[in-house]
Amino acid sequence: MPNFESFELKLRIKRSKQQAEGKLLDYLLHHPTISSTEAVLSACRAYWMPLAMIKAGEENPAVLREVGWSAILDLEKQIQLIKRVLQLEETTSIPASSVPVVPVESVEAIAYPTVTTEQLPTPEDLDDELGVNDFD
């Protein structure tokens, strides 16, 4: 039997229930049809999977194309759902001043930011605005 290496990520996030992010977490924890774990993974897959596959060295164009289109379709589906639920009209436009212009040479820096350990905060630095340290 093959020995498959697994990966476990334990994520703890704490926000005030009055904050928008707190309302988001409550929504995910109490969603009637999907577990909070699957909801988070689904969002991460759509938003980050193509970049993760490239960074991991995936070279198969068919796999990359499938992962890319899957992410795009999931994001477009979510865009349509948000428009429908919030009754946003198609003619509504975003002011040009609020749309960031990203030079082509910056795309790799955005997709693969370089972080050194000196830049990472310590757990003590990560107290949220309530003054509660999320790390035990």
Side-chain angles (χ1 to χ4, degrees), residues 24-89:
L24 167 65
L25 295 175
D26 185 62
Y27 175 79
L28 293 176
L29 285 172
H30 299 98
H31 196 282
T33 61
I34 189 171
S35 73
S36 56
T37 299
E38 186 51 39
V40 169
L41 284 174
S42 174
C44 287
R45 275 192 298 272
Y47 205 87
W48 294 110
M49 185 62 82
L51 302 176
M53 296 296 283
I54 291 284
K55 184 68 173 177
E58 178 62 58
E59 295 179 357
N60 183 330
V63 169
L64 293 174
R65 195 170 24 260
E66 181 179 342
V67 168
W69 277 114
S70 177
I72 289 167
L73 292 173
D74 286 345
L75 291 167
E76 287 179 340
K77 191 169 38 173
Q78 191 68 7
I79 289 167
Q80 293 306 315
L81 175 63
I82 292 167
K83 284 181 178 180
R84 190 173 67 241
V85 169
L86 297 180
Q87 299 177 355
L88 300 175
E89 296 184 26

Side-chain angles (χ1 to χ4, degrees), residues 15-27:
R15 295 294 185 267
S16 165
K17 288 184 178 183
Q18 285 71 44
Q19 294 176 319
E21 289 176 343
K23 292 173 185 176
L24 167 65
L25 295 175
D26 185 62
Y27 175 79

